[in-house]
Amino acid sequence: MLIGLSSIFFPHDDVETSVRNIADLGADCVEVNCDLPHFSPGPIGEEKKKRLGDILKKSKLASSVHSSFFELNLGSGYPELRELSCSRVKECIDLASLWGSSPIVIHPGYLPSFEAKLREEAKKRFMESLETLLAYAQKRGAELVLENIQSPYFFGFEFAEMFSICQELNLPFCLDIGHAYIMQGICGNSDREYEIARGIDKFSPFLSHIHIHDNHGVRDEHLGVGEGSINFPPIVEAIRGVGFEGKVIGEGWEGARDAAYELRKLRDLFNPG
Ligand SMILES: [Zn+2]
């Protein structure tokens, strides 16, 4: 298991400095978040790609890539927007191949309505996007992982639906613990940690990547571990119990006192004593 931080931990520095800072802290890995504030919506310049690749190589950090997601939607009814969303993920897959990063995290498509027929159509579009992207990634030997999001508008919001998507497409899963905690509350489950731990057991053949941050159960606060109300030990025990060997990425950039402190807390949590 590798423990690291998202490049978002240093939102006021450029992404090169952020990666260097995370390497200096002694993290095992970094997740390069290919969206604002470090990456603007336009094309990613060749110079920037190369510079960052050199820094990653020199730092000897293992790395993963978080694909662009702001304002994008892999299930959009607008063909141009769906096309743009897919092409941005493909660009991130290419970046990951260039940098030797794995996996590439993507967000599910969504529809801001609960009307059944409309949702069914949007989900079909999303599944088609996924198939295209999986084929693109496979050709390049890259691993795509699908992350759970805390809003019920997103496909795969509940573990049962996410599990069926992963199973249908043989698609690896990125468990976002903070998002799952909010989801369990919305679903009315009182022992949220127990439900997440049960989900980890069920997902174990697909569980490939982990995002970890804290909140108070309602808003996606992205707090540092221990700053919200999540009781992490039973969840961590389940992760260790299934023999997870992937990357654990701290995403608690809001309210995290500092990156060094956050990394230390993550190490203590996953390797007690
Ligand atoms: Zn996340």
Side-chain angles (χ1 to χ4, degrees), residues 90-251:
K90 287 177 184 169
E91 198 176 353
C92 289
I93 293 171
D94 292 343
L95 266 185
S97 303
L98 180 72
W99 295 338
S101 309
S102 186
I104 301 114
V105 180
I106 58 173
H107 284 187
Y110 64 93
L111 186 81
S113 161
F114 294 117
E115 208 281 312
K117 179 88 171 57
L118 293 179
R119 282 196 80 73
E120 195 187 306
E121 289 166 4
K123 184 166 178 188
K124 189 165 170 278
R125 292 191 293 268
F126 165 55
M127 295 298 276
E128 284 169 10
S129 299
L130 274 185
E131 280 181 62
T132 308
L133 294 172
L134 273 170
Y136 188 91
Q138 239 155 33
K139 260 195 210 145
R140 287 150 186 85
E143 186 188 51
L144 274 189
V145 294
L146 185 63
E147 174 180 0
N148 60 303
I149 303 298
Q150 77 289 345
S151 157
Y153 287 150
F154 282 79
F155 300 111
F157 165 70
E158 286 189 52
F159 279 166
E161 190 190 18
M162 179 60 85
F163 189 74
S164 90
I165 294 171
C166 292
Q167 214 170 22
E168 186 178 333
L169 299 176
N170 196 23
L171 175 63
F173 176 50
C174 166
L175 171 68
D176 186 302
I177 296 171
H179 295 168
Y181 187 71
I182 293 172
M183 176 274 286
Q184 296 295 353
I186 293 173
C187 293
N189 293 320
S190 54
D191 192 342
R192 305 186 195 198
E193 289 84 352
Y194 169 76
E195 293 299 333
I196 295 170
R198 262 190 1 148
I200 290 165
D201 282 342
K202 190 174 173 197
F203 271 109
S204 64
F206 295 102
L207 185 63
S208 173
H209 196 62
I210 290 176
H211 286 171
I212 183 165
H213 52 96
D214 211 343
N215 60 62
H216 292 92
V218 179
R219 206 165 56 76
D220 191 25
E221 296 163 281
H222 279 267
L223 300 173
V225 165
E227 311 286 326
S229 53
I230 304 178
N231 178 30
F232 285 98
I235 299 171
V236 170
E237 202 175 303
I239 292 168
R240 290 160 60 98
V242 297
F244 177 76
E245 285 184 341
K247 300 183 177 84
V248 176
I249 303 293
E251 276 195 335

